[in-house]
Amino acid sequence: SYANDYSGNKYNQSRIDILKKYSGAIKEANPKAYAIIEHFVDKGEENELGNNGIAVWHNMCYNYSQAAQGKSANSAFGGSAWSMLASDEGRPFGYTVGYMESHDEERAAFEQLDSGVAGVKGNTEISMRRLGANAAFAFLVPGPKMIWQFGEIGYDESIFSYGDRVNPKPTHWEYLENPYRKGLYDSYSEILHIRTNNPDLFSSQAEFYWNATAANWDNGRFITARNTSTNKQLVAAYNPTFTDKTFNYTFDNVGGKYYINSKSYNTNPSFDSSAGKITVPAHSYVVITNMDPAGVEDVWDDSDEDAISIYPNPATSTISVNTDMVKDIEIYSVTGAMVKKVEGNNSVDVSGLASGNYFVKILTETNSVTRQLIKR
């Protein structure tokens, strides 16, 4: 019986054994499958499941919704007891799936319309800026994330509209005709491009620091990510206040080359790496890296990007890229660790890799593109 256990979320060995049996059956049927369970219970139980290959959800909806509404109270993204970065949970890296929206809670855009502070409520431009900042401070945090459908266009229907939370809702494709919603969509694209094309910045081997509690409201919220072995650096800054602000920030390479890789739509943030200053407009974010931003908006022409592929896929021994423009090929595990690198060749021997899913990053002198690989 789980009567007392359910109300107290207590550790229960019988339940653990059952879930491990379910997961084992899934993996036996499909070794590449992921087992992710909604299991908000005792941390020790979640850790044991994580150590046995079962990922668990991590609900951050309330905190991110508070920030989206312009409310500093209970708006911490990290650095508190409840954080999007699950670095101290006691389970392997990659087995905590964070999310800022789901079918169980009202969407952040709806909460902005319903309960946002003055200046946010009913203001599409400001609301979309804040949602873009939320995205930056969710997807640029290491570990897997769930993205709830249509969050990228600021979907603002109540979960209880049209009968119930799981009933069909209108898709609102016309939202993309609004420049501010399309700007949010573009922010998602830029942020996810950074994430997927630089897995080494978000692996367990990379350094990650952030200041994203309620106490960081007035003086700015920051993410710092770096990988010294690949010489990559990233800083994301968010100004959640109602006035443009200039923040102090110490860049790793003082006076060195840095670039804006993503920013809130229709804003003009700036920085001075020599002076250690970052200026961010109100309600907005900016992502600055030491990587040329050519890869964010124009990695290849669309026709070129669509044409690049790896074959065979799935593969058992050797894969090749169907272009002679290859400079390097890097292969990453799903946790972001580089497991193979080949220079000056458009073929890679993958026979030594374990079966599973991988990301293959193809680089030329000026561009890069990432493809998914299934290794059998």
Side-chain angles (χ1 to χ4, degrees), residues 58 83-93 96 141-142 208 210:
H58 191 60
S83 170
M84 183 63 87
L85 178 67
S87 59
D88 60 348
E89 298 293 336
R91 66 187 73 108
F93 180 84
T96 302
V141 177
F208 179 87
W210 65 339

Side-chain angles (χ1 to χ4, degrees), residues 11 38 67 101-102 107 120 132 205 219 254 264-265 311 330:
Y11 183 97
E38 185 171 356
E101 284 191 312
S102 82
R107 290 179 177 271
V120 175
Q205 287 78 41
N219 294 320
V254 176
S264 299
Y265 171 73
Y311 65 92
E330 299 171 354

Side-chain angles (χ1 to χ4, degrees), residues 199-215:
D200 48 322
L201 267 179
F202 306 98
S203 72
S204 56
Q205 287 78 41
E207 298 176 48
F208 179 87
Y209 311 95
W210 65 339
N211 305 100
T213 68

Side-chain angles (χ1 to χ4, degrees), residues 338-356:
M338 184 189 294
V339 295
K340 189 100 177 182
K341 181 175 181 178
V342 172
E343 299 179 357
N345 198 325
N346 69 340
S347 296
V348 185
D349 180 3
V350 296
S351 59
L353 299 182
S355 298

Side-chain angles (χ1 to χ4, degrees), residues 11 13 16 20 43-52:
Y11 183 97
Q13 188 63 54
I16 293 171
K20 286 162 66 175
K43 184 182 291 187
E45 182 166 333
E46 291 192 338
N47 289 345
E48 183 166 347
L49 293 172
N51 281 295
N52 282 275

Side-chain angles (χ1 to χ4, degrees), residues 272-291:
D272 185 333
S273 63
S274 297
K277 303 289 184 182
I278 301 176
T279 299
V280 188
H283 313 284
S284 302
Y285 79 93
V286 61
V287 181
I288 302 165
T289 78
N290 65 346
M291 299 171 285

Side-chain angles (χ1 to χ4, degrees), residues 306-374:
D306 291 342
I308 299 298
S309 64
I310 54 177
Y311 65 92
N313 191 11
T316 56
S317 56
T318 300
I319 61 169
S320 299
V321 180
N322 66 337
T323 177
D324 58 2
M325 299 185 296
V326 175
K327 177 189 174 192
D328 299 330
I329 299 175
E330 299 171 354
I331 302 179
Y332 294 87
S333 70
V334 293
T335 63
M338 184 189 294
V339 295
K340 189 100 177 182
K341 181 175 181 178
V342 172
E343 299 179 357
N345 198 325
N346 69 340
S347 296
V348 185
D349 180 3
V350 296
S351 59
L353 299 182
S355 298
N357 294 309
Y358 295 87
F359 293 105
V360 179
K361 185 174 182 180
I362 304 156
L363 302 97
T364 69
E365 290 293 340
T366 57
N367 301 317
S368 68
V369 66
T370 300
R371 293 288 179 256
Q372 188 169 6
L373 167 69
I374 298 174

